[in-house]
Amino acid sequence: MQVVSIISTKGGVGKTTTAANLGGIAADAGLRVLLLDLDVQPTLSSYFTLRSHAPGGIYELLAFNEQDRSRLVSHTAIDGLDLVLSNDDKGQLNTLLLHAPDGRLRLRNLLPVFRPHYDLLLIDTQGARSVLLEMAVLASDIALSPVTPEILAAREFRRGTLQLMQDIAPYRRLGIEPPPLHLLINRVHPVSSNARVIQQALRDLFANEPGIVALDTSIPAIEAYPRASTQALPVHRVEYRRPKGRITPAAFDTMRALACELLPASQPAFSRLQAGAHRRTA
């Protein structure tokens, strides 16, 4: 099971949208996918229509070490896409894990509950520095950080997210290697020369940073993404062809390119996925 945490210490950069759309295209490609919603604002938990609703969620998993998947895992209307709901509405988990001896390692220690049943685990996180965020990163094989092409966002990425990765580096002494950090440039306006300049500057800035990979794929700022969330569908089902007169690729092509780049071992499954194949199902 590949574990990917979608992280940023800055809110509003598109973490939830990225998690939902990556999960959706991976499930349609035939992977068994589990979404884990660690955000106290449970946006990912309400993104997709649920076929079945588990009685528990992330609180029972992390507070009580619940290992009965039937009590934890809800099933979405997308075949092969499951979800552990965010139900820590009072924000108690951060305090609980802060004072627990295994707090930052608890999720890592609980992953064997899910490992035989899923190919991909995607973790959506809070847009703020927290024990939950550090716990998610330490449980991951890959950390994916969306960054918008703005100077202030780039500064916050260096000050917040990169500092987080540096702060957890001492876990190497316990034999826990922090995951590589993949930088995803998100919401790129295709007609903005300033956005393109900042996009290239971000790639150049981190080109020689150890442990950081600036992805070639970027996500354009197009209307298909909010439209897909309104329809409770992954965006590749909503826009599977590029509209006439637009220079940016179809959302299907963008998400497939991102999935192939991020998860190269699953590239054959994504390459077999046909545009529009799932457009009539919800």
Side-chain angles (χ1 to χ4, degrees):
M1 181 179 73
Q2 190 92 0
V3 181
V4 179
S5 56
I6 295 90
I7 70 167
S8 175
T9 57
K10 184 178 186 299
V13 296
K15 295 187 302 297
T16 298
T17 300
T18 302
N21 286 316
L22 267 176
I25 197 167
D28 278 353
L31 277 65
R32 301 169 300 167
V33 183
L34 179 63
L35 303 174
L36 193 67
D37 192 353
L38 282 183
D39 198 340
V40 291
Q41 297 178 334
T43 310
L44 182 61
S45 295
S46 58
Y47 189 102
F48 295 110
T49 303
L50 296 182
R51 283 196 181 123
S52 66
H53 194 300
I58 196 64
Y59 189 84
E60 287 72 19
L61 174 67
L62 296 177
F64 304 132
N65 292 316
E66 176 64 67
Q67 299 189 41
D68 182 351
R69 286 184 301 109
S70 68
R71 298 190 57 78
L72 297 172
V73 177
S74 299
H75 303 283
T76 77
I78 308 293
D79 289 337
L81 184 62
D82 294 342
L83 170 68
V84 177
L85 294 164
S86 170
N87 60 347
D88 180 30
D89 54 312
K90 295 180 180 178
Q92 296 174 312
L93 282 174
N94 260 317
T95 302
L96 185 153
L97 294 171
L98 181 64
H99 298 290
D102 67 336
R104 288 170 174 80
L105 299 178
R106 184 163 296 183
L107 180 57
R108 181 184 180 92
N109 294 335
L110 287 167
L111 287 183
V113 174
F114 305 112
R115 202 171 289 281
H117 307 282
Y118 296 99
D119 305 303
L120 177 64
L121 173 62
L122 294 168
I123 308 172
D124 190 24
T125 62
Q126 290 178 285
R129 181 73 182 264
S130 66
V131 177
L132 279 169
L133 181 54
E134 294 174 18
M135 180 193 68
V137 175
L138 288 167
S140 302
D141 302 305
I142 296 171
L144 176 65
S145 186
V147 179
T148 53
E150 304 157 332
I151 289 295
L152 290 178
R155 289 174 181 166
E156 176 57 31
F157 174 76
R158 180 174 282 282
R159 180 172 57 245
T161 306
L162 284 187
Q163 186 61 51
L164 163 68
M165 300 302 290
Q166 292 168 10
D167 289 347
I168 64 172
Y171 278 87
R172 288 191 175 99
R173 298 169 190 165
L174 300 178
I176 299 171
E177 189 67 27
L181 179 62
H182 288 61
L183 177 66
L184 172 65
I185 302 175
N186 192 29
R187 298 178 186 156
V188 179
H189 292 276
V191 296
S192 169
S193 59
N194 188 51
R196 288 196 299 271
V197 168
I198 297 173
Q199 181 180 4
Q200 189 57 51
L202 280 168
R203 289 202 168 99
D204 293 342
L205 182 61
F206 300 111
N208 297 314
E209 288 267 3
I212 300 179
V213 178
L215 295 172
D216 292 330
T217 308
S218 59
I219 308 296
I222 56 174
E223 180 268 343
Y225 291 90
R227 179 156 47 97
S229 66
T230 300
Q231 297 179 29
L233 290 172
V235 71
H236 75 278
R237 291 191 182 188
V238 171
E239 188 185 270
Y240 45 89
R241 290 196 198 92
R242 182 175 64 184
K244 289 183 179 179
R246 201 181 74 196
I247 60 173
T248 55
F252 174 91
D253 296 317
T254 298
M255 291 310 303
R256 182 165 66 174
L258 174 60
C260 287
E261 188 175 4
L262 190 67
L263 306 167
S266 300
Q267 185 172 344
F270 292 118
S271 297
R272 288 191 297 268
L273 190 60
Q274 297 296 311
H278 300 83
R279 63 184 181 273
R280 293 187 179 88
T281 58

